[in-house]
Short mmCIF file of all heavy atoms in Angstrom, two decimals:
data_model
loop_
_atom_site.label_atom_id
_atom_site.label_comp_id
_atom_site.label_asym_id
_atom_site.label_seq_id
_atom_site.Cartn_x
_atom_site.Cartn_y
_atom_site.Cartn_z
N ALA A 1267 102.11 87.55 84.87
CA ALA A 1267 101.05 86.97 85.66
C ALA A 1267 99.64 87.14 85.08
O ALA A 1267 98.75 86.40 85.37
CB ALA A 1267 101.08 87.66 87.05
N LEU A 1268 99.54 88.13 84.14
CA LEU A 1268 98.20 88.47 83.69
C LEU A 1268 97.51 87.37 82.89
O LEU A 1268 96.30 87.07 83.15
CB LEU A 1268 98.29 89.70 82.76
CG LEU A 1268 97.02 90.41 82.31
CD1 LEU A 1268 96.23 90.79 83.50
CD2 LEU A 1268 97.32 91.58 81.44
N GLU A 1269 98.19 86.75 82.00
CA GLU A 1269 97.56 85.65 81.28
C GLU A 1269 97.13 84.45 82.15
O GLU A 1269 96.08 83.87 82.01
CB GLU A 1269 98.46 85.14 80.15
CG GLU A 1269 97.94 84.10 79.28
CD GLU A 1269 96.64 84.43 78.57
OE1 GLU A 1269 96.39 85.65 78.43
OE2 GLU A 1269 95.88 83.49 78.12
N SER A 1270 98.00 84.15 83.08
CA SER A 1270 97.72 83.04 84.05
C SER A 1270 96.48 83.39 84.85
O SER A 1270 95.60 82.54 85.05
CB SER A 1270 98.87 82.79 85.00
OG SER A 1270 98.57 81.92 85.98
N VAL A 1271 96.32 84.59 85.32
CA VAL A 1271 95.13 85.03 86.12
C VAL A 1271 93.88 84.95 85.21
O VAL A 1271 92.85 84.42 85.62
CB VAL A 1271 95.34 86.45 86.60
CG1 VAL A 1271 94.03 87.00 87.20
CG2 VAL A 1271 96.43 86.52 87.64
N ARG A 1272 93.98 85.39 83.98
CA ARG A 1272 92.86 85.32 83.09
C ARG A 1272 92.37 83.89 82.91
O ARG A 1272 91.17 83.61 83.01
CB ARG A 1272 93.22 85.88 81.66
CG ARG A 1272 92.02 86.04 80.78
CD ARG A 1272 92.50 86.42 79.37
NE ARG A 1272 93.25 85.32 78.74
CZ ARG A 1272 92.68 84.33 78.26
NH1 ARG A 1272 91.36 84.06 78.12
NH2 ARG A 1272 93.42 83.33 77.71
N CYS A 1273 93.26 82.95 82.70
CA CYS A 1273 92.90 81.54 82.48
C CYS A 1273 92.23 80.98 83.83
O CYS A 1273 91.25 80.21 83.71
CB CYS A 1273 94.06 80.76 82.08
SG CYS A 1273 94.77 81.13 80.44
N GLN A 1274 92.83 81.27 84.97
CA GLN A 1274 92.35 80.70 86.13
C GLN A 1274 90.97 81.24 86.53
O GLN A 1274 89.99 80.43 86.83
CB GLN A 1274 93.29 81.05 87.36
CG GLN A 1274 94.65 80.22 87.25
CD GLN A 1274 95.67 80.77 88.08
OE1 GLN A 1274 95.69 82.00 88.40
NE2 GLN A 1274 96.74 80.03 88.30
N VAL A 1275 90.76 82.51 86.37
CA VAL A 1275 89.44 83.18 86.65
C VAL A 1275 88.43 82.62 85.65
O VAL A 1275 87.22 82.35 85.95
CB VAL A 1275 89.51 84.65 86.70
CG1 VAL A 1275 88.20 85.20 86.84
CG2 VAL A 1275 90.42 85.11 87.86
N GLY A 1276 88.90 82.51 84.39
CA GLY A 1276 87.98 82.02 83.29
C GLY A 1276 87.56 80.57 83.63
O GLY A 1276 86.54 80.12 83.06
N ASN A 1277 88.32 79.82 84.38
CA ASN A 1277 87.96 78.45 84.74
C ASN A 1277 87.05 78.37 85.96
O ASN A 1277 86.88 77.28 86.52
CB ASN A 1277 89.21 77.62 84.94
CG ASN A 1277 89.89 77.24 83.61
OD1 ASN A 1277 89.27 77.22 82.59
ND2 ASN A 1277 91.16 77.14 83.66
N GLY A 1278 86.55 79.57 86.45
CA GLY A 1278 85.68 79.60 87.60
C GLY A 1278 86.38 79.75 88.92
O GLY A 1278 85.71 79.55 89.98
N ILE A 1279 87.62 79.96 88.95
CA ILE A 1279 88.38 80.12 90.20
C ILE A 1279 88.29 81.55 90.67
O ILE A 1279 88.51 82.47 89.93
CB ILE A 1279 89.89 79.70 90.06
CG1 ILE A 1279 89.94 78.26 89.51
CG2 ILE A 1279 90.64 79.91 91.35
CD1 ILE A 1279 91.30 77.84 89.09
N SER A 1280 87.85 81.77 91.97
CA SER A 1280 87.85 83.09 92.51
C SER A 1280 89.18 83.52 93.05
O SER A 1280 90.00 82.68 93.37
CB SER A 1280 86.80 83.18 93.66
OG SER A 1280 87.21 82.38 94.75
N MET A 1281 89.49 84.80 93.01
CA MET A 1281 90.76 85.25 93.41
C MET A 1281 90.72 86.65 94.11
O MET A 1281 89.98 87.51 93.72
CB MET A 1281 91.72 85.37 92.19
CG MET A 1281 93.14 85.74 92.46
SD MET A 1281 94.20 85.89 91.04
CE MET A 1281 94.14 84.13 90.45
N ARG A 1282 91.41 86.65 95.29
CA ARG A 1282 91.46 87.93 96.02
C ARG A 1282 93.00 88.26 96.30
O ARG A 1282 93.70 87.39 96.59
CB ARG A 1282 90.71 87.87 97.31
CG ARG A 1282 89.18 87.95 97.14
CD ARG A 1282 88.50 87.79 98.50
NE ARG A 1282 88.50 86.54 99.08
CZ ARG A 1282 88.41 86.27 100.35
NH1 ARG A 1282 88.30 87.39 101.25
NH2 ARG A 1282 88.49 85.04 100.81
N THR A 1283 93.30 89.54 96.20
CA THR A 1283 94.66 89.92 96.33
C THR A 1283 94.77 91.22 97.24
O THR A 1283 93.93 92.08 97.01
CB THR A 1283 95.38 90.26 94.94
OG1 THR A 1283 95.51 89.09 94.18
CG2 THR A 1283 96.76 90.83 95.19
N ILE A 1284 95.76 91.31 98.11
CA ILE A 1284 95.98 92.42 98.92
C ILE A 1284 97.32 92.98 98.55
O ILE A 1284 98.36 92.26 98.56
CB ILE A 1284 95.97 92.10 100.40
CG1 ILE A 1284 94.66 91.43 100.90
CG2 ILE A 1284 96.28 93.32 101.30
CD1 ILE A 1284 94.66 90.96 102.33
N TYR A 1285 97.38 94.29 98.25
CA TYR A 1285 98.57 95.02 98.05
C TYR A 1285 98.73 96.06 99.21
O TYR A 1285 97.85 96.20 100.08
CB TYR A 1285 98.60 95.84 96.70
CG TYR A 1285 98.76 94.96 95.48
CD1 TYR A 1285 97.67 94.74 94.66
CD2 TYR A 1285 99.95 94.41 95.18
CE1 TYR A 1285 97.76 93.98 93.45
CE2 TYR A 1285 100.06 93.63 93.97
CZ TYR A 1285 98.97 93.42 93.22
OH TYR A 1285 99.08 92.68 92.06
N GLN A 1286 99.83 96.77 99.23
CA GLN A 1286 100.01 97.85 100.11
C GLN A 1286 99.49 99.20 99.45
O GLN A 1286 99.46 99.30 98.26
CB GLN A 1286 101.41 97.97 100.58
CG GLN A 1286 101.86 96.93 101.47
CD GLN A 1286 103.30 97.04 102.00
OE1 GLN A 1286 104.18 96.59 101.25
NE2 GLN A 1286 103.51 97.52 103.17
N HIS A 1287 99.15 100.22 100.24
CA HIS A 1287 98.62 101.43 99.76
C HIS A 1287 99.56 102.06 98.71
O HIS A 1287 99.16 102.65 97.77
CB HIS A 1287 98.44 102.40 100.88
CG HIS A 1287 97.23 102.16 101.69
ND1 HIS A 1287 96.07 101.48 101.27
CD2 HIS A 1287 96.96 102.51 103.00
CE1 HIS A 1287 95.21 101.43 102.22
NE2 HIS A 1287 95.68 102.07 103.29
N SER A 1288 100.91 101.84 98.92
CA SER A 1288 101.86 102.50 98.00
C SER A 1288 101.68 101.96 96.58
O SER A 1288 102.17 102.68 95.63
CB SER A 1288 103.26 102.20 98.51
OG SER A 1288 103.51 100.87 98.76
N ALA A 1289 101.11 100.81 96.37
CA ALA A 1289 100.90 100.36 95.01
C ALA A 1289 99.94 101.09 94.24
O ALA A 1289 99.87 101.03 93.00
CB ALA A 1289 100.45 98.85 95.09
N ARG A 1290 99.10 101.94 94.85
CA ARG A 1290 98.15 102.73 94.15
C ARG A 1290 98.75 103.83 93.27
O ARG A 1290 98.06 104.33 92.42
CB ARG A 1290 97.21 103.43 95.21
CG ARG A 1290 96.37 102.48 96.07
CD ARG A 1290 95.49 103.23 97.03
NE ARG A 1290 94.74 102.42 97.85
CZ ARG A 1290 93.47 102.70 98.23
NH1 ARG A 1290 92.83 103.78 97.77
NH2 ARG A 1290 92.84 101.92 99.08
N PHE A 1291 100.03 104.12 93.54
CA PHE A 1291 100.64 105.21 92.87
C PHE A 1291 101.53 104.73 91.65
O PHE A 1291 102.11 105.52 91.01
CB PHE A 1291 101.48 106.05 93.75
CG PHE A 1291 100.71 106.48 94.95
CD1 PHE A 1291 101.02 106.10 96.21
CD2 PHE A 1291 99.62 107.42 94.87
CE1 PHE A 1291 100.35 106.46 97.36
CE2 PHE A 1291 98.89 107.82 95.95
CZ PHE A 1291 99.25 107.40 97.21
#
């Protein structure tokens, strides 16, 4: 997913993501 996200944000698209607290570990 990382490269896709980089290209999309680089094209001026804003992105927000919600994970669960358990992802912090």
Side-chain angles (χ1 to χ4, degrees):
L1268 189 57
E1269 180 61 19
S1270 174
V1271 170
R1272 187 189 67 80
C1273 292
Q1274 289 162 340
V1275 174
N1277 288 330
I1279 300 169
S1280 65
M1281 186 178 297
R1282 287 182 286 159
T1283 295
I1284 302 175
Y1285 288 108
Q1286 288 180 279
H1287 285 334
S1288 53
R1290 296 182 183 218
F1291 307 114

